[in-house]
Amino acid sequence: DSVSVNQDLFEHYKKLIHIRRRFAALNTGSYQTLLADDSMQVHAFERALPEQRVIVLLNNSAKNQKIKLPFEQDGKYFDVLNDRMLQENAEFLDIPAKWGMIFIKYL
């Protein structure tokens, strides 16, 4: 029997592994929950080192969720999962269903 590989899922996991290896705060930084909303199935947390801040937002629901930005936007943040900058002075974020965002800010 041959085994087929879901190439899209495989590439997604490779990207997540690369992100985890690249940003030390994800491995050894302090941890703080920023948002935990069971009704919306949305979770956000921060991992931080003195020189690096990482904010992870996860939407586990089957629908897109619009949330109030759960952290102070005190500089420029780049979403390394979706390859885009966070809009300056953003108040809300639209997180696609079953997806997330990983924002990086260097301190």
Side-chain angles (χ1 to χ4, degrees):
D1 293 330
S2 67
V3 175
S4 64
V5 174
N6 180 328
Q7 196 62 36
D8 289 338
L9 185 59
F10 179 72
E11 293 301 322
H12 179 66
Y13 279 121
K14 280 178 40 178
K15 184 172 188 173
L16 290 174
I17 291 167
H18 173 74
I19 290 169
R20 185 168 184 255
R21 287 181 177 163
R22 183 173 169 202
F23 299 102
L26 287 171
N27 299 299
T28 59
S30 63
Y31 177 90
Q32 178 182 358
T33 298
L34 302 175
L35 174 69
D37 188 324
D38 290 338
S39 64
M40 292 178 67
Q41 297 184 344
V42 174
H43 182 75
F45 62 91
E46 172 188 80
R47 298 291 309 259
L49 292 170
E51 70 280 0
Q52 190 178 80
R53 182 178 186 197
V54 180
I55 310 275
V56 178
L57 298 105
L58 302 168
N59 176 8
N60 197 39
S61 75
K63 62 181 183 177
N64 294 353
Q65 297 290 1
K66 184 174 187 171
I67 64 164
K68 185 171 177 10
L69 193 69
F71 60 94
E72 182 181 335
Q73 191 179 352
D74 55 348
K76 294 185 179 188
Y77 288 82
F78 185 73
D79 180 356
V80 293
L81 181 60
N82 301 294
D83 298 318
R84 63 187 175 116
M85 291 295 296
L86 175 62
Q87 181 180 356
E88 287 190 45
N89 301 317
E91 291 185 46
F92 293 91
L93 291 171
D94 291 310
I95 307 174
K98 300 290 183 185
W99 198 247
M101 299 172 175
I102 304 172
F103 290 107
I104 305 297
K105 179 185 184 228
Y106 288 94
L107 304 175

